[in-house]
Amino acid sequence: MKNVGTTRPFAQSQFIEQTIAQNAMAPYAGAMLNSPALEYFLEVVRTGSINEASRRLLVAGSAISRQIGKLEQEIGVPLFERRPRGMVPSEAGALLATYARRAALETDQVLADIRGRGRMGSVVRVASSQGAAQEFLPHAMAAFRREHPGTTFQLPVVTPSLATQMVQDGSVDLGVTFSLAPAPDVRVVHAQRAPIQALVRSDHPLAQRDEIHLHDLLPYPVALTEEGTTNRRLFDLCCSIEGITFEPLLVSSNSAALSTFVNETNAVSLTGHISVHGRLHREGLKAIALLNPEMHLRTIQIQAMAGRQLPAVVTAFADHLIRQLAETEV
């Protein structure tokens, strides 16, 4: 005899996904996915606060609260955890936000196709961390435009984590960024290793060598990126493992500033090959391989929103980037 009391329920993520899918066929589904309620919901997810969402949308906070309550009633599960410092999406809320962003992007794509703007002539939005944005991406974009002259680009240059976040929330089509670990709601279109190298002037004493260890830098001043970058995180990890410390002469978020400083002094900096390969001979610099295994843990990734069907021009540009990256691999 079957014991109904022990029947295993759906996980909440399965439940919310199934509920949304079923509602897509229901009379109110279009209203749910295109109504102000969903716009308000996404703005609260974005800002973490009903008051901040109210300020940005110029809508009363009480109206936003009512619409979110209606969404929760329709779906049947809480969409937020109400905390003293703000609103945090529940598991169901995070899943709905992902679904809604993807649906909105695909709707925009369909409308563009219908209006004849879905061909090679669209805007491609790429968020990038600074290393890839210095030379690699501008060169790749210029080369792509020679084959597809109607294409235009937007290139916000941000931290690696923010580039990934912009992919997740649909602010951009692609992210080109250095990464140390997988990210949720992100599809990695392409990844390749991006080891960190020591950057010195071509007449520096270390420039005669092709490989060094991090402790070989101890006699020389160093110029480093800010804490939080993948470059700096791996450097700090390696120093901790080896029990060595450095007092940098310069700390900067700008890789061009670091390479210029290296060129003007006997300092050593850290870089990725993709960031400087076009400037090495032009600026009299040399990149030296670091033998510490921790300095090889980083990859450069082309990221897209998980589950999203990319427009044809974005897919073509991603393929173009993959070919360009293959030419820069060390």
Side-chain angles (χ1 to χ4, degrees):
M1 179 176 174
K2 186 177 180 180
N3 185 348
V4 296
T6 59
T7 302
R8 194 174 182 179
F10 281 116
Q12 189 178 58
S13 61
Q14 291 174 302
F15 172 76
I16 183 67
E17 193 167 23
Q18 183 181 44
T19 301
I20 293 171
Q22 289 172 342
N23 288 345
M25 303 301 293
Y28 69 81
M32 184 182 79
L33 292 180
N34 295 290
S35 68
L38 199 62
E39 180 187 359
Y40 300 166
F41 162 75
L42 287 174
E43 193 61 35
V44 175
V45 171
R46 211 166 5 246
T47 62
S49 162
I50 286 179
N51 288 338
E52 182 62 18
S54 171
R55 188 184 69 80
R56 294 192 181 192
L57 295 172
L58 302 179
V59 175
S62 57
I64 294 174
S65 294
R66 281 196 303 273
Q67 292 296 331
I68 289 174
K70 186 183 295 184
L71 271 180
E72 292 179 320
Q73 185 177 6
E74 294 282 10
I75 294 174
V77 292
L79 297 177
F80 288 99
E81 297 174 11
R82 276 75 172 174
R83 297 181 182 177
R85 292 191 175 183
M87 308 270 284
V88 177
S90 64
E91 181 184 356
L95 187 59
L96 178 60
T98 299
Y99 179 93
R101 289 167 183 150
R102 189 167 62 238
L105 288 168
E106 290 177 355
T107 298
D108 290 344
Q109 181 182 332
V110 169
L111 292 175
D113 289 341
I114 292 171
R115 293 166 183 163
R117 298 200 308 269
R119 298 185 295 274
M120 299 297 182
S122 301
V123 176
V124 178
R125 304 167 302 161
V126 184
S128 172
S129 50
Q130 191 174 150
Q134 290 286 328
E135 290 197 353
F136 172 73
L137 279 171
H139 285 313
M141 290 170 174
F144 188 81
R145 270 188 51 83
R146 285 194 283 273
E147 295 183 17
H148 309 290
T151 307
T152 59
F153 294 94
Q154 294 176 4
L155 179 59
V157 180
V158 294
T159 62
S161 60
L162 184 53
T164 298
Q165 183 182 325
M166 293 175 76
V167 170
Q168 291 168 321
D169 66 22
S171 301
V172 294
D173 303 304
L174 298 172
V176 179
T177 186
F178 296 105
S179 178
L180 300 177
D185 302 321
V186 166
R187 173 170 63 93
V188 178
V189 177
H190 176 76
Q192 73 182 48
R193 65 191 189 95
I196 297 169
Q197 302 170 307
L199 182 70
V200 298
R201 203 165 62 187
S202 57
D203 61 352
H204 191 280
L206 291 176
Q208 306 305 313
R209 301 170 60 178
D210 293 324
E211 297 178 329
I212 58 176
H213 286 87
L214 204 60
H215 61 247
D216 292 322
L217 307 185
L218 284 169
Y220 307 101
V222 296
L224 301 175
T225 57
E226 292 182 333
E227 293 181 3
T229 62
T230 55
N231 180 318
R232 182 65 182 272
R233 286 166 63 189
L234 291 178
F235 173 81
D236 290 344
L237 171 64
C238 195
C239 288
S240 176
I241 291 171
E242 294 215 0
I244 56 179
T245 59
F246 291 87
E247 292 294 332
L249 287 187
L250 172 67
V251 175
S252 176
S253 62
N254 189 292
S255 58
L258 292 170
S259 63
T260 299
F261 187 77
V262 165
N263 211 4
E264 296 290 331
T265 67
N266 68 334
V268 182
S269 190
L270 300 175
T271 188
H273 185 68
I274 193 173
S275 304
V276 296
H277 76 280
R279 307 202 310 264
L280 290 176
H281 296 298
R282 186 173 72 240
E283 298 183 9
L285 301 170
K286 181 176 179 180
I288 308 170
L290 287 164
L291 294 172
N292 306 74
E294 297 81 17
M295 307 306 275
H296 294 252
L297 296 177
R298 189 177 69 162
T299 62
I300 186 167
Q301 296 183 354
I302 302 173
Q303 301 174 341
M305 179 187 287
R308 180 189 173 195
Q309 181 179 350
L310 295 173
V313 67
V314 176
T315 299
F317 183 64
D319 291 341
H320 174 74
L321 288 180
I322 292 170
R323 293 190 295 271
Q324 296 288 307
L325 282 171
E327 294 179 7
T328 66
E329 191 167 16
V330 292

